[in-house]
């Protein structure tokens, strides 16, 4: 089954195009953004590009799937790409003259990124004061929006180095649809807020005027806020603001520059969703928001799509067949013979050995010839039992198939609703794998599905 989109999402032309320098994978949590980003990175590298994948997902699945012990704030080379491509970087590969690429991976360390910014834009003495400030340590480790803002900072740093052909970003797993884009604005609002300006005022006024302001105005504010926040915390905030004063403008400037970079033609957003109602509703919001922000949307990756090799057998027919098998299994096909055998065993004839059997002694064993009719009856019973077991298994399989077809129908309805709302969005499907992705082979399989849009790749088994 394929979507009725105006055009499919062509993944290979997207990652092969030298003009494509940044791909941002976004979507709701739990839809496979990290796996999609990693699979795109592997495929792009094995098609000749030098790629770095930046993940902000704390689950660390990316490192495991790429065979890296751990990821940190420094890009690490992924092994196995050169062997797969069949050539060293700069040499022609065996299959089509393409050049082997490189794949690097990293995980955002937002505190370390914040520290790097301070160290790069402040003199050593002021940098030490900021890094040792308790309020800064709390801010850099977990302030709302810090992770998303630092992701923007790191993306800007990677692009400025111009070391990689392609940067693939796995956005944070936040519930709010585009916190990644909102973070610069929120940080700007924080830095421009009245509270920050008030704390910065004494340092900016300086001299006696500043001291007078501090003694009169700040004493009242400190008395009130000190009760709410604690006097030590307020002093830490004031020290932090005074030290960071010269850097605030730089934060906004870099955030604005990265934001414009995301709007540039060399950037492509890929929305990732699962074929479920809530995930596609979130994907529709992403699409609309990206359009409102003038962000270039490449298309939608519909992940973990179910399929069936027997799609011609409908759920209704499968359930009807299962019910017929169950009804046929109710009848005991050998009940008559069993009854005769039981009656015979319960009432031995007067002349039989069983009639003269003394309790506590075992009767003499019968010969095979004498036990023939009953042995044949046991074989019939065994055959009937096997037939019933086979029917039960068949009925169970038919019910499982019916459930699968119902899932397919539900997924089709949700896809149809999305494409009806956004027929302009190119879509590619990724069929669900039988197990989780945990290595490069699994990422390659996902990459094949991304490129073929649910069709069987050429040469695949």
């Amino acid at each position: 089954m394929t979507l009725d989109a105006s055009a499919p999402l062509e993944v290979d032309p997207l990652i092969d195009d030298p003009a494509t320098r940044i791909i941002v994978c976004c979507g709701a949590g739990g839809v496979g953004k990290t796996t999609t980003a990693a699979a795109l990175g592997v495929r792009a590298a094995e098609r000749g590009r030098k790629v770095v994948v930046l993940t902000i997902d704390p689950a660390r699945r990316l490192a495991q799937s790429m065979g890296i012990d751990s990821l940190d704030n420094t890009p690490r080379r992924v092994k196995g790409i050169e062997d797969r491509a069949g050539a060293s970087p700069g040499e022609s590969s065996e299959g089509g003259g393409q050049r082997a690429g490189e794949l690097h991976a990293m995980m955002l360390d937002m505190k370390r990124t914040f520290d790097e910014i301070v160290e790069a834009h402040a003199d050593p003495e002021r940098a030490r004061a900021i890094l040792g400030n308790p309020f800064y340590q709390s801010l850099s480790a977990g302030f709302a929006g810090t992770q998303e803002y630092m992701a923007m900072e790191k993306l800007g740093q990677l692009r400025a180095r111009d070391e990689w052909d392609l940067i693939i970003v796995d956005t944070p797993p936040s519930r709010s649809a585009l916190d990644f884009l909102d973070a610069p604005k929120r940080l700007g609002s924080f830095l421009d807020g009245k509270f920050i300006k008030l704390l910065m005022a004494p340092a900016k006024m300086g001299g006696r005027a500043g001291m007078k302001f501090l003694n009169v105005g700040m004493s009242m504010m400190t008395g009130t806020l000190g009760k709410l926040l604690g006097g030590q915390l307020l002093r830490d905030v004031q020290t932090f603001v005074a030290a960071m004063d010269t850097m605030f403008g730089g934060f906004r400037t870099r955030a604005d520059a990265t934001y414009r970079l995301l709007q540039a033609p060399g950037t492509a957003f890929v929305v990732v969703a699962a074929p479920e109602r809530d995930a596609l509703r979130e994907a529709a919001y992403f699409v609309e928001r990206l359009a409102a922000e003038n962000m270039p949307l490449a298309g939608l990756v519909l992940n973990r799509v179910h399929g069936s090799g027997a799609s011609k057998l409908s759920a209704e027919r499968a359930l009807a067949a299962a019910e017929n098998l169950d009804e046929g299994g109710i009848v005991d096909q050998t009940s008559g013979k069993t009854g005769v055998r039981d009656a015979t065993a319960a009432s031995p004839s007067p002349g039989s050995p069983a009639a003269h059997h003394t309790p506590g002694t075992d009767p003499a064993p019968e010969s095979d010839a004498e036990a023939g009719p009953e042995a044949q009856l046991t074989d019939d019973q065994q055959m009937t039992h096997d037939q019933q077991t086979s029917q039960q298994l068949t009925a169970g399989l038919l019910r499982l198939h019916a459930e699968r077809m119902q899932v397919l129908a539900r997924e089709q309805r949700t896809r149809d609703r999305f494409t009806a709302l956004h027929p302009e969005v190119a879509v590619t499907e990724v069929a669900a794998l039988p197990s989780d992705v945990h290595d490069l082979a699994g990422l390659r399989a996902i990459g094949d599905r991304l490129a073929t849009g649910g069709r069987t790749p050429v040469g695949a088994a």
Side-chain angles (χ1 to χ4, degrees):
M1 291 183 294
T2 58
L3 291 171
D4 296 326
S6 57
L9 173 58
E10 300 290 346
V11 169
D12 284 347
L14 175 66
I15 61 178
D16 290 344
D17 187 356
T20 303
R21 302 299 303 275
I22 297 173
I23 295 178
V24 181
C25 296
C26 56
V31 297
K33 293 192 303 295
T34 301
T35 303
T36 300
L40 287 172
V42 170
R43 191 169 185 87
E46 293 184 342
R47 294 176 68 86
R49 304 200 71 182
K50 188 175 181 181
V51 186
V52 59
V53 177
L54 169 63
T55 180
I56 306 111
D57 186 350
R60 299 182 183 269
R61 293 187 302 272
L62 182 64
Q64 298 171 1
S65 63
M66 292 185 173
I68 301 176
D69 293 335
S70 63
L71 291 179
D72 53 25
N73 221 36
T74 302
R76 295 182 180 273
R77 180 78 174 269
V78 177
K79 299 179 181 179
I81 299 300
E82 292 180 6
D83 295 337
R84 166 74 173 176
S88 299
E91 297 178 358
S92 297
S93 64
E94 297 175 357
Q98 293 179 339
R99 296 180 184 274
E102 296 180 14
L103 178 61
H104 300 252
M106 62 183 297
M107 176 177 289
L108 177 71
D109 183 336
M110 68 177 179
K111 187 179 187 312
R112 183 58 201 152
T113 301
F114 212 149
D115 292 347
E116 290 173 354
I117 297 170
V118 172
E119 293 167 351
H121 296 89
D123 59 77
E125 183 178 355
R126 180 167 294 191
R128 284 194 298 271
I130 295 172
L131 296 178
N133 183 275
F135 179 74
Y136 166 79
Q137 293 173 359
S138 299
L139 174 69
S140 61
F143 188 76
T146 304
Q147 185 185 54
E148 290 80 7
Y149 177 81
M150 291 305 147
M152 297 280 281
E153 281 276 358
K154 181 57 68 174
L155 173 59
Q157 292 175 10
L158 292 172
R159 185 65 182 87
R161 290 167 62 177
D162 202 25
E163 184 176 347
W164 291 276
D165 300 334
L166 178 62
I167 303 170
I168 300 178
V169 182
D170 166 33
T171 55
S174 54
R175 174 62 180 86
S176 182
L178 288 177
D179 282 349
F180 185 67
L181 300 178
D182 293 333
K185 295 180 180 179
R186 289 205 308 273
L187 185 64
S189 298
F190 170 71
L191 298 178
D192 291 331
K194 294 180 179 179
F195 177 64
I196 294 297
K197 289 181 177 179
L198 186 60
L199 293 177
M200 291 170 60
K204 286 189 174 183
M205 294 176 67
R208 294 182 178 179
M211 292 301 297
K212 183 178 180 180
F213 180 89
L214 181 63
N215 291 333
V216 178
M218 293 296 289
S219 60
M220 293 186 294
M221 185 190 73
T222 302
T224 302
L225 292 178
K227 295 178 182 179
L228 298 175
L229 304 177
Q232 183 60 47
L233 175 59
L234 186 58
R235 286 190 292 273
D236 291 339
V237 173
Q238 289 175 305
T239 304
F240 164 77
V241 171
M244 292 283 289
D245 183 19
T246 58
M247 296 183 59
F248 286 157
F251 277 104
R252 286 190 295 269
T253 300
R254 289 190 302 276
D256 291 342
T258 305
Y259 196 81
R260 290 192 298 271
L261 180 64
L262 293 175
Q263 294 175 319
T267 299
F269 279 81
V270 173
V271 177
V272 184
E276 301 168 359
R277 183 178 60 181
D278 292 342
L280 279 172
R281 183 186 297 116
E282 195 82 356
Y285 177 78
F286 273 71
V287 168
E288 293 164 3
R289 177 68 191 281
L290 288 170
E293 298 286 344
N294 295 318
M295 299 291 177
L297 173 64
L300 171 72
V301 171
L302 199 58
N303 205 12
R304 302 169 188 161
V305 176
H306 292 88
S308 173
S311 57
K312 293 183 178 179
L313 178 60
S314 66
E316 292 76 11
R317 290 177 59 191
L319 288 174
E323 292 175 359
N324 289 336
L325 287 173
D326 288 340
E327 292 174 357
I330 294 175
V331 179
D332 188 350
Q333 299 179 6
T334 61
S335 59
K337 293 182 179 180
T338 302
V340 171
R341 185 198 65 183
D342 293 343
T344 303
S347 303
S349 60
S352 66
H356 301 287
H357 172 60
T358 303
T361 62
D362 293 332
E366 295 180 329
S367 65
D368 292 340
E370 293 173 343
E374 290 191 11
Q376 182 64 40
L377 185 61
T378 301
D379 291 341
D380 290 342
Q381 286 183 312
Q382 185 63 41
M383 184 180 298
T384 301
H385 174 73
D386 292 344
Q387 291 175 346
Q388 291 176 339
T389 301
S390 177
Q391 289 177 352
Q392 291 172 354
L393 289 174
T394 304
L397 290 174
L398 286 168
R399 287 193 174 87
L400 286 175
H401 175 75
E403 292 178 3
R404 171 58 64 89
M405 295 305 296
Q406 290 169 350
V407 169
L408 265 61
R410 183 170 64 250
E411 291 180 355
Q412 184 67 55
R413 289 194 297 271
T414 57
R415 292 196 294 265
D416 289 345
R417 281 196 290 268
F418 176 87
T419 52
L421 290 172
H422 299 284
E424 77 286 356
V425 178
V427 182
T428 188
E429 298 178 4
V430 178
L433 292 178
S435 60
D436 292 336
V437 175
H438 61 276
D439 55 16
L440 284 176
L443 291 175
R444 291 188 184 104
I446 294 294
D448 291 341
R449 285 162 169 77
L450 282 167
T452 58
R455 303 181 301 276
T456 303
V458 177

